[in-house]
Amino acid sequence: MENYKPKSRLTAKEYIDGVLRGDRVLLSRAITMIESNLDSDKRIAKEIVQAILPKSGNSFRIGITGVPGVGKSTFIEVFGLHLIKQGHKVAILSIDPSSQRSKGSILGDKTRMEELANMDEAYIRPSASGDTLGGVANKTGETMLLCEAAGYDIILIETVGVGQSETAVHGMTDFFLLLMLAGAGDELQGIKKGIMEMADMVVINKADGDNIRKSQIARSQYQNALHIFPQSESGWSPVVSTASAIKNIGIDKVWEEISAYKKLVLENGYFHQNRNLQQVQWMYNNINEELKRLFYGSKDIASQLSMLEKEIISAKISPVKAAQKIIEAFKKSF
Ligand code: GDP
């Protein structure tokens, strides 16, 4: 650590070598390059990601979601410690939509996962901030590749189960875990049907004390509900189990199920097929992001748009015609 002055700029090669030898300080600094919005940093970040790419991908990627208060941090802490005991190195990343608006993200709280944070085999990075969910997801995706190249063989990507960020996490992970509570209706938990449908496993957390019986009932209800969904392409039937993160009960069962899933999808080819699709989709997501940035970032376009807005309101032009007109103007600007 003492070898690097905090503010001194390093070469791409220094970052790359540092990441590849698992140097946590350089890993963090390389991630900072990825998160930066400065063009000079972005160039270095691209070089780093391109260079480490062949060394990435060798991990199992798990998405974890659930509404605030369901026990995600408590669960990830005990689950992470369990994985480390089995000899794994675990990186914990998050996609937190709130970080787009404020620096104080829900998931960024430093006091979370204190024991795990102190382990050499764990690397915890709070959510990147950015203007769009796509931008944040992109940065998290590249951060994941860096963590893999640095030797972390299990990546946990956490998100708050209330919106679009689940789809982003689902699109970059191999297994999707949904944490739920007994006794609260789905509406109350803000969990959309679409999110349930993405889940490879549902864990009813806080199955302790007076809550045990209710959790068991919820377990069979969710198990029945999941049967209604069409069979997943992975060939896996989603499972529901109960757990108590706080009492460390049922955590080993979660890992057993994930291991069974992993074995199945490696054998039937789904694992690689899904990863390939995700890679291609990632490219398209980037194209979409970049096009939006080019379009809305142009001052000329912005001023024409505000004029068109007025013309639409005063019924001088139809919305469709206005859209065509601005796209034509954009095309001519190249
Ligand atoms: P998050 O917002 O989803 O990250 O949830 P937290 O992990 O911060 O947990 C929210 C609250 O629920 C905290 O007060 C935890 O102590 C509590 N909690 C978490 N897991 C359990 C559990 O398994 N049983 C019980 N009884 N409480 C839990």
Side-chain angles (χ1 to χ4, degrees):
M1 197 164 186
E2 297 77 38
N3 296 337
Y4 309 106
K5 293 194 202 89
K7 293 288 170 204
S8 68
R9 190 169 273 276
L10 303 178
T11 63
K13 185 170 182 328
E14 284 172 304
Y15 288 113
I16 294 162
D17 291 346
V19 169
L20 292 179
R21 64 169 187 271
D23 180 322
R24 296 161 66 99
V25 175
L26 283 189
L27 171 63
S28 291
R29 292 189 57 183
I31 296 171
T32 303
M33 289 289 122
I34 285 176
E35 292 174 350
S36 169
N37 289 321
L38 287 176
D39 282 340
S40 54
D41 290 345
K42 280 187 185 169
R43 268 195 301 278
I44 293 183
K46 282 206 180 81
E47 211 178 313
I48 300 170
V49 174
Q50 189 61 36
I52 59 88
L53 205 56
K55 302 280 181 197
S56 69
N58 300 321
S59 80
F60 196 73
R61 304 164 177 173
I62 303 170
I64 300 182
T65 194
V67 292
V70 71
K72 288 181 299 300
S73 0
T74 316
F75 176 86
I76 289 172
E77 165 126 303
V78 283
F79 186 56
L81 292 170
H82 180 74
L83 296 176
I84 289 170
K85 248 192 235 148
Q86 317 281 317
H88 295 287
K89 282 183 77 181
V90 189
I92 295 104
L93 314 175
S94 52
I95 294 188
D96 177 358
S98 68
S99 68
Q100 290 165 40
R101 288 183 290 275
S102 65
K103 286 257 179 228
S105 73
I106 315 172
L107 302 173
D109 182 352
K110 284 228 170 81
T111 59
R112 299 164 80 243
M113 309 175 205
E114 235 164 315
E115 199 182 338
L116 192 59
N118 284 324
M119 304 287 288
D120 282 342
E121 299 86 355
Y123 180 79
I124 304 179
R125 181 84 180 189
S127 183
S129 59
D131 298 332
T132 62
L133 173 62
V136 173
N138 203 18
K139 288 170 181 177
T140 308
E142 292 193 318
T143 298
M144 172 173 80
L145 301 179
L146 255 54
C147 289
E148 290 174 343
Y152 294 90
D153 66 332
I154 296 189
I155 313 284
L156 305 180
I157 305 187
E158 172 192 19
T159 190
V160 188
V162 287
Q164 289 246 298
S165 52
E166 292 68 37
T167 315
V169 172
H170 183 250
M172 62 170 79
T173 49
D174 306 310
F175 188 92
F176 197 68
L177 182 67
L178 172 62
L179 292 186
M180 299 281 271
L181 294 175
D186 293 358
E187 270 91 325
L188 258 182
Q189 297 192 42
I191 294 293
K192 308 235 160 50
K193 183 171 160 276
I195 296 176
M196 280 281 284
E197 217 162 336
M198 288 192 288
D200 297 301
M201 182 168 190
V202 176
V203 173
I204 318 282
N205 191 35
K206 306 197 186 181
D208 43 50
D210 293 345
N211 225 4
I212 295 181
R213 180 90 194 104
K214 267 200 293 186
S215 303
Q216 284 162 348
I217 295 168
R219 177 181 179 273
S220 50
Q221 282 170 346
Y222 281 120
Q223 191 75 68
N224 289 338
L226 286 175
H227 279 317
I228 298 166
F229 295 137
Q231 172 83 34
S232 155
E233 271 178 64
S234 64
W236 171 259
S237 304
V239 284
V240 187
S241 77
T242 56
S244 168
I246 224 158
K247 294 199 178 315
N248 199 351
I249 299 169
I251 306 301
D252 44 353
K253 161 89 174 153
V254 177
W255 181 234
E256 273 169 33
E257 291 291 352
I258 294 177
S259 305
Y261 172 91
K262 187 178 171 191
K263 184 170 180 291
L264 173 83
V265 295
L266 280 174
E267 278 170 10
N268 70 13
Y270 178 79
F271 180 86
H272 292 290
Q273 185 195 328
N274 186 45
R275 283 263 178 117
N276 291 343
L277 273 176
Q278 288 182 342
Q279 288 291 98
V280 172
Q281 189 55 46
W282 194 2
M283 176 186 76
Y284 284 109
N285 291 348
N286 260 284
I287 293 174
N288 292 344
E289 282 298 311
E290 189 61 18
L291 282 177
K292 266 195 254 175
R293 204 182 63 83
L294 280 175
F295 184 79
Y296 290 108
S298 149
K299 283 206 182 87
D300 195 28
I301 291 288
S303 70
Q304 289 191 54
L305 275 175
S306 68
M307 272 175 5
L308 283 171
E309 280 184 24
K310 290 190 191 102
E311 288 181 30
I312 288 172
I313 292 165
S314 57
K316 282 199 185 118
I317 190 168
S318 81
V320 173
K321 181 94 183 128
Q324 271 172 355
K325 200 170 162 185
I326 195 84
I327 296 290
E328 283 306 321
F330 182 57
K331 282 192 332 209
K332 280 204 193 99
S333 70
F334 283 101

